[in-house]
Amino acid sequence: MPKCLIYILFVFGSLNGSTQELFSGRLTYSIEYLNIPADMKGVEKQLPTKISIVTDGSDWRSVQYTEINGDYIQVYDSKADSIFEMITIGPERVRVSNRTLKKVSLSNTKGKGQSQFQMETKIVDVKLESGENQSMIFLADYMPIPSLFYHGLVGVPTSLEVENAGVIMRLSLSKIHEEPIDKTYFTLPDDYKWVDNSLYQSWLR
């Protein structure tokens, strides 16, 4: 094989994340609400202001606190490839699986962003399944955490927008701490009642 071709292949492999590490530790994202549906006006102060995430790089657990329903917990189990949600609705503490996660596809890499947490970032344009485009900023050193926020991310995001039930939020990474994480964080609690996904969705409407 010609030396020039070997060099090109080496560079191409480097650009596609061969040096990325698996992230294990804790992440905290602040939440800014960009759009709230009319039927939710007046409850802005009761909505979560941050998301706390614990991950070992394959499984993860996220917690948001709401004034309305207390803790809203999500656990991703990589073996089941499923996100389990746990929340208090009225007198019921319930959990449900089979959450549908939206996908994004890479449309353009704009290059380096500003350094954050003494690490390099990349600015990437992505296209959502809806056809909408947005720019996201990622820590370039880390591999994406499976099924966190979207399918198809290219690293650990430091800034992105997400939409849920008409609520549009901007998430900004405010804290990051690397450490070994024990699998007990991802054990599903026993004191939540299993409910059917269709029933759960009807409660949220």
Side-chain angles (χ1 to χ4, degrees):
M1 182 182 291
K3 289 183 178 180
C4 61
L5 182 56
I6 294 173
Y7 176 75
I8 291 170
L9 291 175
F10 173 78
V11 171
F12 181 78
S14 299
L15 291 175
N16 278 273
S18 60
T19 59
Q20 286 183 308
E21 302 174 9
L22 197 70
F23 176 78
S24 177
R26 300 173 188 270
L27 305 166
T28 301
Y29 288 86
S30 62
I31 304 174
E32 177 188 359
Y33 291 92
L34 305 180
N35 182 70
I36 297 176
D39 61 354
M40 293 184 66
K41 294 293 184 182
V43 301
E44 292 94 332
K45 292 182 179 180
Q46 297 177 305
L47 296 175
T49 58
K50 68 178 182 179
I51 303 175
S52 301
I53 297 166
V54 178
T55 180
D56 64 358
S58 57
D59 297 336
W60 52 264
R61 176 189 183 94
S62 74
V63 179
Q64 301 175 53
Y65 177 77
T66 72
E67 294 285 347
I68 303 170
N69 296 111
D71 285 343
Y72 168 60
I73 302 168
Q74 290 184 313
V75 174
Y76 175 70
D77 182 340
S78 57
K79 290 183 179 179
D81 190 22
S82 186
I83 297 174
F84 300 89
E85 301 186 21
M86 285 144 283
I87 194 169
T88 301
I89 300 180
E92 298 284 356
R93 287 162 60 87
V94 302
R95 71 182 183 196
V96 65
S97 61
N98 301 317
R99 176 179 173 85
T100 301
L101 197 65
K102 296 177 181 178
K103 297 180 181 179
V104 296
S105 56
L106 177 65
S107 60
N108 183 38
T109 302
K110 290 185 174 180
K112 290 184 179 180
Q114 290 186 339
S115 175
Q116 296 188 40
F117 307 102
Q118 299 182 331
M119 289 181 278
E120 286 188 2
T121 66
K122 288 183 179 178
I123 303 173
V124 177
D125 286 336
V126 299
K127 179 174 285 187
L128 279 64
E129 289 178 298
S130 61
E132 297 176 38
N133 296 289
Q134 70 163 282
S135 290
M136 297 182 180
I137 304 175
F138 297 89
L139 292 174
D141 291 347
Y142 297 116
M143 297 170 61
I145 299 168
S147 295
L148 183 64
F149 305 130
Y150 291 103
H151 285 307
L153 299 185
V154 295
V156 173
T158 64
S159 179
L160 76 164
E161 292 179 15
V162 297
E163 183 271 336
N164 188 19
V167 179
I168 300 176
M169 299 163 279
R170 178 180 290 123
L171 307 183
S172 301
L173 185 62
S174 58
K175 293 181 182 178
I176 180 170
H177 179 68
E178 272 194 283
E179 63 177 282
I181 297 297
D182 190 271
K183 283 290 186 183
T184 55
Y185 279 100
F186 317 119
T187 301
L188 297 177
D190 295 326
D191 57 343
Y192 283 76
K193 175 183 176 182
W194 278 103
V195 297
D196 179 76
N197 188 53
S198 59
L199 175 61
Y200 176 68
Q201 293 299 325
S202 72
W203 290 347
L204 300 180
R205 293 191 184 101

